[in-house]
Amino acid sequence: MFVLCTEAAEKLFDLVDSFAESAKRKAAVWPLLIILLILCPEITHTISKDTVEDSKANKKLFLDNLRKALAGQGGSKQLMESAAIACVKLCKASTYINWEDHSTIFLLVQSIVMDLKALLFNPAKPFWRGTGSQNADVELMVDCFVSCFRINPHNNQHFKVCLASSSPSTFHFVLVNSLHRIIINSHLDWWPKIDEVYCYSGELRFMFSDTLNRVIQGTGTHAPLRMTPSLTFIGKKTTSLKFKEKATEQDTRSYKCLLLALVKLIHADPKLMLHNPVKQASEIQSSTAELITGLVQLVSLNTTTQLSQEAMEALLVLHQPETIELWNPDAPIETFWDIRTGLS
């Protein structure tokens, strides 16, 4: 059955490839071609060699052109964007194969992943395919982020880029939603778990506090905003975490989307925000108190029901007995009563 599937995939590859003569047509079919090639593991292995037979030459040429376009050498923005989509599909597919199988697909991934991350996670030149593409662009970046984490959780330069306060807010949103997906979708044994990034809990708490402050300041000057699935983020880089001028309605909307994502992240895995391995007991208690106080503020924020509801769910999870012990492992009961008293 698998042999028949491989033969059909190769025939369809040849048919579609012969149709793609112009740059516009290539851009339209490259994401499909990479999927068809993934379905042909023996051919993928064959074309990884220096010389190949004539019947396989078009597959090798396709991969060569894909790499060039991804690196910006394809002569067309359309081809570069299509190459990004195709390579994210390649990376995502590779995560469903156990590395112990030594599949050639891993060699393909290694040959493109650095250029792919450089294209998608460049704060100086954010990836953007034009008006109306932002939701799709964000989803593409999330797929790439999650796939790269599953391929190698320790190669985290893109993580640091997304975490940087100077990066566009879109990058922050991609980071938080990627972490949420890693937490809730971790079905395969060889996929790394979220505890690989617990070391960044301090930066994530800081992002939560900063975003909360921005939303509270923004809602003080704007009418209530309804959360919508459509994402409208700030494209420019911010040079400081402090407000230098009054936030616009677009700013406030983007920060609300990010804040909602952060609260969902706390709800999904409170340990991620409570991890404090090297801090003193007093610092741990202070950071926990700040986190809980922020969520309590959101519960009473009447500008968005969705944020308030999610904040309540996060607070319920934080008040589970096993989670209370993490508020301050050195003195959990005392910390619990101190924080509760402070909220009264």
Side-chain angles (χ1 to χ4, degrees):
M1 181 66 71
F2 181 74
V3 173
L4 292 175
C5 178
T6 299
E7 291 177 354
E10 183 181 9
K11 289 178 181 179
L12 184 55
F13 182 103
D14 292 337
L15 180 64
V16 174
D17 185 56
S18 64
F19 160 82
E21 298 172 347
S22 64
K24 185 176 180 180
R25 287 186 174 185
K26 283 185 172 71
V29 302
W30 275 5
L32 170 61
L33 291 181
I34 196 68
I35 294 298
L36 294 173
L37 201 56
I38 291 168
L39 292 174
C40 305
E42 291 185 5
I43 293 176
T44 304
H45 177 72
T46 299
I47 61 177
S48 66
K49 301 174 183 177
D50 292 335
T51 57
V52 298
E53 57 188 87
D54 291 344
S55 64
K56 306 293 187 292
N58 62 330
K59 285 87 173 175
K60 187 176 182 64
L61 180 62
F62 161 66
L63 288 179
D64 290 340
N65 289 336
L66 194 70
R67 293 190 189 98
K68 289 178 182 177
L70 189 66
Q73 301 169 3
S76 162
K77 183 174 182 290
Q78 257 188 329
L79 285 178
M80 183 173 66
E81 292 167 352
S82 180
I85 296 170
C87 288
V88 169
K89 289 183 181 294
L90 173 64
C91 291
K92 189 173 182 178
S94 75
T95 66
Y96 288 86
I97 303 172
N98 195 324
W99 281 85
E100 294 179 357
D101 294 341
H102 303 293
S103 172
T104 308
I105 192 174
F106 300 131
L107 297 177
L108 286 180
V109 169
Q110 290 172 5
S111 71
I112 58 90
V113 71
M114 294 305 294
D115 285 334
L116 178 61
K117 290 193 289 186
L119 175 62
L120 294 185
F121 300 103
N122 180 0
K125 189 180 180 182
F127 184 78
W128 186 61
R129 283 177 284 175
T131 304
S133 71
Q134 190 166 36
N135 283 356
D137 291 343
V138 166
E139 184 61 26
L140 185 70
M141 292 173 71
V142 169
D143 274 343
C144 181
F145 191 108
V146 174
S147 298
C148 288
F149 175 82
R150 289 172 177 164
I151 291 167
N152 183 359
H154 306 296
N155 186 357
N156 56 8
Q157 185 57 39
H158 59 292
F159 190 108
K160 295 176 181 177
V161 169
C162 289
L163 199 56
S165 61
S166 58
S167 293
S169 61
T170 307
F171 282 41
H172 301 156
F173 186 82
V174 167
L175 166 68
V176 174
N177 278 271
S178 298
L179 294 177
H180 188 266
R181 186 174 297 180
I182 290 166
I183 292 167
I184 66 172
N185 185 4
S186 187
H187 304 311
L188 298 181
D189 293 340
W190 56 85
W191 283 354
K193 308 304 180 186
I194 194 63
D195 57 7
E196 295 281 355
V197 296
Y198 277 2
C199 56
Y200 294 103
S201 58
E203 290 91 333
L204 290 168
R205 284 194 303 272
F206 187 79
M207 184 186 292
F208 171 75
S209 298
D210 176 67
T211 308
L212 174 64
N213 289 335
R214 290 174 182 269
V215 168
I216 289 174
Q217 291 187 44
T219 53
T221 55
H222 297 288
L225 298 174
R226 183 172 61 89
M227 301 296 291
T228 66
S230 178
L231 308 175
T232 308
F233 289 101
I234 307 166
K236 65 179 186 300
K237 296 204 298 181
T238 53
T239 56
S240 171
L241 290 177
K242 303 296 181 184
F243 274 123
K244 291 187 175 179
E245 58 185 17
K246 186 178 292 186
T248 65
E249 183 175 333
Q250 178 179 328
D251 293 342
T252 304
R253 184 178 293 111
S254 70
Y255 287 125
K256 279 194 170 187
C257 288
L258 176 57
L259 185 57
L260 178 63
L262 282 161
V263 176
K264 287 182 176 180
L265 188 62
I266 298 169
H267 183 188
D269 184 4
K271 293 179 183 178
L272 180 59
M273 292 291 197
L274 293 173
H275 189 66
N276 278 299
V278 296
K279 287 190 175 183
Q280 299 295 322
S282 59
E283 294 178 298
I284 294 174
Q285 179 168 328
S286 176
S287 66
T288 301
E290 185 177 2
L291 180 67
I292 293 174
T293 301
L295 290 170
V296 170
Q297 283 181 282
L298 285 178
V299 171
S300 59
L301 194 67
N302 58 9
T303 55
T304 131
T305 304
Q306 193 176 4
L307 252 177
S308 299
Q309 182 63 42
E310 196 63 44
M312 283 189 279
E313 296 291 341
L315 283 167
L316 284 173
V317 173
L318 283 167
H319 281 79
Q320 294 293 324
E322 63 274 15
T323 308
I324 291 174
E325 293 181 4
L326 301 174
W327 287 18
N328 182 0
D330 290 338
I333 302 302
E334 292 85 345
T335 298
F336 173 79
W337 286 114
D338 284 349
I339 292 177
R340 295 296 298 169
T341 300
L343 293 173
S344 301

